[in-house]
Amino acid sequence: TMQSSGHRFRDVEHHPLLADNESYDSSSSSSEATLAERVWFIRDGCGMVCAIMTWLLVVYADFVVTFVMLLPSKDFWYSVINGVLFNCLAVLALSSHLRTMLTDPGAVPKGNATKEYMDNLQLKPGEVIYKCPKCCSIKPERAHHCSICKRCIRKMDHHCPWVNNCVGEKNQRFFVLFTMYIALISAHALILCGFQFFSCVRGQWTECSDFSPPVTVILMIFLCLEGFLFLTFTAVMFGTQIHSICNDETEIERLKSEKPTWERRLRWEGMKSVFGGQPSLLWINPFAGFRIRRLLLRGKKGGPEFSV
């Protein structure tokens, strides 16, 4: 324990007492203001490989659906409707993935445990607040330190290598959309595979694809395996996320059985706090709030995250 400005710091990892509304004022620091305008990106080798694999698997599924199953089909409207639907879902899934990966999940500013910051908080003398010993920041309530991001993250749910980022206060919505759209395109791909197999068997594998029967079978089997695995994983993750949001409890808090020191939101209030405002189509739109102009005004890289 060390003394500073009449306030006591305590190095802990759990149960911080500083409330969310007592967050660091980034406008008072030019460096933090610059950081706030950066595109968040974690330079983690495993995470980057997993993120690239995610994109390649979606592209593979799109290739098989479009060029193996739909384009050779003699039913024009069947091909058009399913092709447009599948590709739209794929674009929404990959856009959600990008927003999750490139959005600051709610990182607490590093090294903000300073005398100036303490004076701005206007805390009572002797009041105990909690400081993370790893990133030297004052931990708001419900924040946890991520060893991969090397930051304390507000309402950290977990670190997901598939999106190369933590899932936290500011990007949980995009992660939920990502799991939902991946589950939808996986289910769609499995349904199309079922129809394609039935069509090929009924037509004795003649003119059911522009590829040879062995190649067609191999491509569709891999797509079925991929679709089944991704559907199972993302559907479970989607359900888990919705359950956590409705209960106003992160996965870390649930696993650690942390007793809530905050007032839990009602289920509907939890959904509105994550997805923003009243229910609308914006809830399922990963492009909502996106500003292209901001991407043109980024600074140079620095720290574990950098601008692109």
Side-chain angles (χ1 to χ4, degrees):
T1 304
M2 62 181 184
Q3 303 291 333
S4 176
S5 303
H7 306 117
R8 291 183 291 164
F9 288 108
R10 183 174 297 172
D11 291 343
V12 294
E13 283 303 309
H14 313 300
H15 306 299
L17 299 180
L18 190 61
D20 285 342
N21 58 3
E22 296 174 326
S23 60
Y24 180 63
D25 184 11
S26 61
S27 62
S28 64
S29 170
S30 59
S31 61
E32 291 300 333
T34 302
L35 177 62
E37 292 187 357
R38 292 178 181 172
V39 171
W40 180 271
F41 185 80
I42 301 301
R43 292 177 290 182
D44 174 59
C46 177
M48 288 187 283
V49 169
C50 289
I52 292 173
M53 284 180 58
T54 301
W55 275 67
L56 292 178
L57 289 170
V58 173
V59 171
Y60 169 78
D62 189 64
F63 169 79
V64 176
V65 167
T66 303
F67 293 97
V68 178
M69 293 189 284
L70 296 182
L71 288 181
S73 175
K74 296 180 179 180
D75 191 332
F76 175 77
W77 288 112
Y78 171 83
S79 299
V80 170
I81 293 174
N82 282 285
V84 170
L85 177 60
F86 188 89
N87 281 276
C88 285
L89 290 175
V91 169
L92 290 171
L94 295 179
S95 300
S96 301
H97 182 273
L98 275 180
R99 293 299 301 273
T100 307
M101 182 171 61
L102 301 180
T103 299
D104 180 350
V108 179
K110 281 185 177 181
N112 64 352
T114 63
K115 180 179 182 300
E116 292 76 16
Y117 179 39
M118 296 300 302
D119 292 338
N120 290 334
L121 289 179
Q122 298 180 348
L123 299 174
K124 297 178 181 179
E127 186 173 351
V128 178
I129 58 176
Y130 294 102
K131 178 173 72 73
C132 175
K134 296 180 180 179
C135 59
C136 297
S137 62
I138 296 178
K139 296 182 66 174
E141 189 174 39
R142 306 183 70 182
H144 292 270
H145 186 87
C146 175
S147 59
I148 299 176
C149 295
K150 297 180 175 61
R151 300 289 289 273
C152 284
I153 307 296
R154 294 178 180 272
K155 290 184 66 176
M156 176 181 170
D157 188 85
H158 68 287
H159 185 95
C160 178
W162 295 104
V163 297
N164 189 34
N165 202 2
C166 276
V167 177
E169 185 177 67
K170 295 183 179 179
N171 67 346
Q172 187 175 25
R173 167 175 169 259
F174 301 123
F175 181 75
V176 173
L177 294 181
F178 168 66
T179 57
M180 181 183 73
Y181 286 124
I182 289 293
L184 288 176
I185 64 173
S186 298
H188 192 193
L190 290 173
I191 293 173
L192 291 176
C193 281
F195 279 114
Q196 188 71 9
F197 272 120
F198 177 77
S199 175
C200 288
V201 170
R202 185 178 59 179
Q204 296 182 348
W205 297 92
T206 58
E207 299 182 358
C208 76
S209 175
D210 292 337
F211 296 85
S212 64
V215 174
T216 300
V217 171
I218 292 174
L219 291 174
M220 292 176 61
I221 287 177
F222 273 109
L223 179 60
C224 286
L225 292 175
E226 176 191 342
F228 177 76
L229 291 175
F230 267 68
L231 174 61
T232 303
F233 174 76
T234 54
V236 170
M237 184 59 70
F238 175 79
T240 301
Q241 288 292 302
I242 295 298
H243 181 266
S244 296
I245 293 172
C246 290
N247 288 340
D248 195 15
E249 182 181 48
T250 66
E251 188 66 15
I252 291 179
E253 293 164 349
R254 186 186 68 81
L255 292 175
K256 293 184 176 180
S257 300
E258 295 186 0
K259 295 181 180 180
T261 57
W262 62 93
E263 183 179 353
R264 289 192 174 183
R265 296 186 178 95
L266 299 175
R267 293 187 175 184
W268 197 241
E269 292 300 321
M271 292 290 290
K272 289 194 291 186
S273 69
V274 171
F275 290 91
Q278 296 297 326
S280 68
L281 290 177
L282 293 177
W283 277 25
I284 59 174
N285 179 14
F287 300 102
F290 180 73
R291 297 291 182 270
I292 296 180
R293 184 179 178 183
R294 292 179 183 177
L295 294 178
L296 303 177
L297 301 175
R298 305 305 183 185
K300 297 181 180 180
K301 69 178 183 179
E305 67 287 331
F306 62 87
S307 58
V308 295

